Amino acid sequence: MKIAIIGQGYVGLTISAFASEFYEVVGFDTNQNLVDNLNRGISHIEGVQSSIIEKWIKSGRYKATTNGRDIADVDIVIVAVPTPLTSNRQPDLSFLQSACKTVGENVTREVLIINESTSFPGTLRSYIKPMIENFSSSPAEHLYAISPERVDPGRSDFNQKNTPRLYAGLSKEASERTREFYSKFCDNLIEVSSPEVAEAAKLFENTFRQVNIALVNEFAQIAHSLGISVYETLDAANTKPYGFMKFTPSAGVGGHCIPVDPTYLAAVAEEHGAPATFIRRANEVNLEMSEYIVRRVAEDNGGSLKGKNILVVGVAYKPNVADVRETAAELVIEHLRSQGAVVSWHDDVVGNWKGESSSPLQGADIAVVVTKHDSVDEEKILASAPYVFDTTGKVKGVNGL
Ligand SMILES: NC(=O)c1ccc[n+]([C@@H]2O[C@H](COP(=O)([O-])OP(=O)(O)OC[C@H]3O[C@@H](n4cnc5c(N)ncnc54)[C@H](O)[C@@H]3O)[C@@H](O)[C@H]2O)c1
């Protein structure tokens, strides 16, 4: 069987690496540079080793392409393209639309199309299917299914094989064929009654995290005002063996999922006249954390940050990945600069970001730790500035959340 995977990013390339063991895979992406590198056996995703890509290329099981005609003869199409927010924080389905165009124009025989991109309930039925049909000039009646991706980049204990996967087709045949496809490399497949349930479950999973992160971020502020340790309090609460799940405070939420997916759920809720109060407020609380942190840093440093050399340590959105999408570091830096601080950042995992390079971990007046990669030495952070503010709970003996 031949599979086309549209989008070769975190999700698409991860699936490509697993699927190539059992199927012939064509990885379609619009980014020529990325495709060239993949065809040279160079992976850009932490969880996918270059040696794996190289192996599949050599064996003829995998190739990357920007040419839509290369997906004309496949049996299954997987869609894994970005679903971000627009500048006014509304669902942006433009990448999905362009993926539907590629599929509609090039796939003329009947195939199974599975969407893995995260979007609101109804996307498969009311957006993807009609869009592909609209771009298609062939009478082929495709099968459609959804199987939302749950990959957590940088995580080694849960992967494609042992993370349970939800799925649902628009027809019984689509569901059956979807199960057959994933069962080769996923141990636990869970069918739900409709694509809308699968789409909503994915959004709710990330909304659950967003709301609980906001709650703990608010609690960190309460704990500080009460003069007690948020971490000790959370550890104490976590001794309860049921009814409690520990989340830890941070400078905010980042990545492609938690700051974005809940807004997809809120948008569809409001469109249907249902309230999304928690979701909206949680988003605000998380966004406000950067301002709160900068206020605390200023308070500890005589009230003004003007002219101070501030080093932000860690700009990736989470430890041990190079991903900077929606990173909380961006807002922290913005607020520090608006206070007149001279800001540089250190993050050797990210290297280059927004036209700036990682600075040495030394010589600052103030260091603000936003993300602590395992490779960054705690002693070096402590020696980098006379005042260190830690938002991660990983640097001991300094001020922080
Ligand atoms: N990254 C995660 O941890 C994660 C986890 C679960 C679900 N998701 C969801 O999966 C989807 C993909 O996310 P990602 O993290 O892989 O994104 P990504 O940005 O890492 O990769 C997307 C890739 O799609 C390519 N692309 C854009 N438009 C395209 C088009 N029209 N045709 C072909 N390729 C195109 C881009 O060049 C990029 O390489 C999103 O909906 C996201 O919400 C992501």
Side-chain angles (χ1 to χ4, degrees):
M1 238 190 329
K2 194 168 172 182
I3 317 293
I5 302 186
I6 313 294
Q8 290 293 283
Y10 280 89
V11 169
L13 191 63
T14 307
I15 290 285
S16 296
F18 273 85
S20 295
E21 192 166 349
F22 307 97
Y23 308 104
E24 186 184 339
V25 173
V26 182
F28 175 88
D29 202 290
T30 46
N31 182 335
Q32 186 67 58
N33 192 31
L34 174 75
V35 163
D36 291 344
N37 278 333
L38 288 173
N39 283 329
R40 281 197 282 268
I42 302 168
S43 165
H44 60 115
I45 304 292
E46 296 88 13
V48 179
Q49 286 171 2
S50 293
S51 57
I52 299 276
I53 301 295
E54 215 174 342
K55 177 174 139 191
W56 297 140
I57 288 173
K58 276 195 186 134
S59 66
R61 306 292 283 269
Y62 174 79
K63 82 163 184 179
T65 185
T66 53
N67 187 345
R69 284 191 296 278
D70 288 342
I71 68 166
D73 60 342
V74 300
D75 305 287
I76 296 179
V77 176
I78 311 278
V79 180
V81 294
T83 44
L85 297 174
T86 60
S87 54
N88 58 346
R89 299 193 66 80
Q90 288 301 307
D92 176 0
L93 297 190
S94 58
F95 298 96
L96 212 44
Q97 177 176 354
S98 127
C100 289
K101 186 168 188 282
T102 301
V103 177
E105 287 178 350
N106 293 290
V107 183
T108 49
R109 52 197 273 206
E110 288 175 14
V111 300
L112 169 66
I113 297 166
I114 308 172
N115 180 39
E116 288 209 15
S117 319
T118 307
S119 186
F120 47 79
T123 302
L124 183 73
R125 194 186 302 273
S126 310
Y127 188 89
I128 293 178
K129 181 175 184 283
M131 188 68 74
I132 290 176
E133 285 169 355
N134 185 41
F135 283 117
S136 174
S137 53
S138 107
E141 295 237 350
H142 301 307
L143 298 172
Y144 292 87
I146 169 90
S147 184
E149 180 51 63
R150 288 167 153 173
V151 68
D152 184 6
R155 191 166 189 136
S156 52
D157 52 350
F158 283 101
N159 55 31
Q160 291 292 332
K161 189 163 165 54
N162 63 358
T163 306
R165 184 176 269 283
L166 302 177
Y167 71 98
L170 280 182
S171 65
K172 195 164 178 288
E173 193 187 348
S175 295
E176 280 167 2
R177 284 194 52 201
T178 301
R179 182 176 192 93
E180 195 188 338
F181 168 70
Y182 288 110
S183 62
K184 288 275 193 296
F185 55 93
C186 177
D187 292 342
N188 190 357
L189 288 153
I190 302 152
E191 184 177 3
V192 292
S193 66
S194 70
E196 286 74 14
V197 170
E199 290 165 325
K202 168 72 194 177
L203 292 185
F204 190 71
E205 287 162 20
N206 283 343
T207 303
F208 172 83
R209 288 181 64 197
Q210 178 226 32
V211 169
N212 279 286
I213 292 167
L215 179 64
V216 80
N217 278 338
E218 188 168 84
F219 180 64
Q221 299 175 49
I222 296 172
H224 176 70
S225 70
L226 295 175
I228 56 175
S229 159
V230 62
Y231 298 108
E232 190 187 352
T233 314
L234 291 171
D235 285 343
N238 203 30
T239 57
K240 186 177 176 183
Y242 53 88
F244 184 78
M245 186 180 281
K246 185 176 155 187
F247 285 79
T248 45
S250 57
V253 289
H256 192 16
C257 296
I258 300 176
V260 175
D261 299 355
T263 303
Y264 271 66
L265 188 56
V268 77
E270 285 158 5
E271 207 178 290
H272 285 76
T277 341
F278 268 132
I279 304 175
R280 294 288 186 204
R281 184 61 197 134
N283 191 41
E284 284 166 10
V285 170
N286 287 331
L287 287 172
E288 285 160 10
M289 278 311 280
S290 49
E291 223 174 322
Y292 170 75
I293 286 161
V294 172
R295 198 164 59 241
R296 289 269 313 272
V297 173
E299 275 166 18
D300 288 352
N301 285 275
S304 170
L305 297 175
K306 202 159 192 272
K308 293 261 197 301
N309 267 316
I310 302 188
L311 185 67
V312 169
V313 181
V315 296
Y317 86 87
K318 69 173 186 177
N320 309 325
V321 299
D323 196 344
V324 285
R325 289 177 295 179
E326 307 272 336
T327 173
E330 185 164 359
L331 280 181
V332 171
I333 291 173
E334 236 175 80
H335 285 299
L336 289 169
R337 286 189 173 145
S338 73
Q339 302 282 312
V342 181
V343 185
S344 53
W345 53 267
H346 170 81
D347 193 323
D348 285 343
V349 177
V350 170
N352 292 295
W353 175 51
K354 300 182 93 177
E356 295 173 19
S357 304
S358 173
S359 298
L361 183 54
Q362 61 187 42
D365 299 324
I366 293 172
V368 179
V369 185
V370 171
T371 302
K372 163 85 175 63
H373 298 300
D374 291 347
S375 58
V376 181
D377 187 53
E378 193 179 330
E379 293 305 319
K380 283 196 177 152
I381 294 177
L382 292 171
S384 67
Y387 170 89
V388 177
F389 187 93
D390 177 41
T391 70
T392 68
K394 290 183 180 165
V395 184
K396 302 291 170 244
V398 295
N399 283 357
L401 291 178

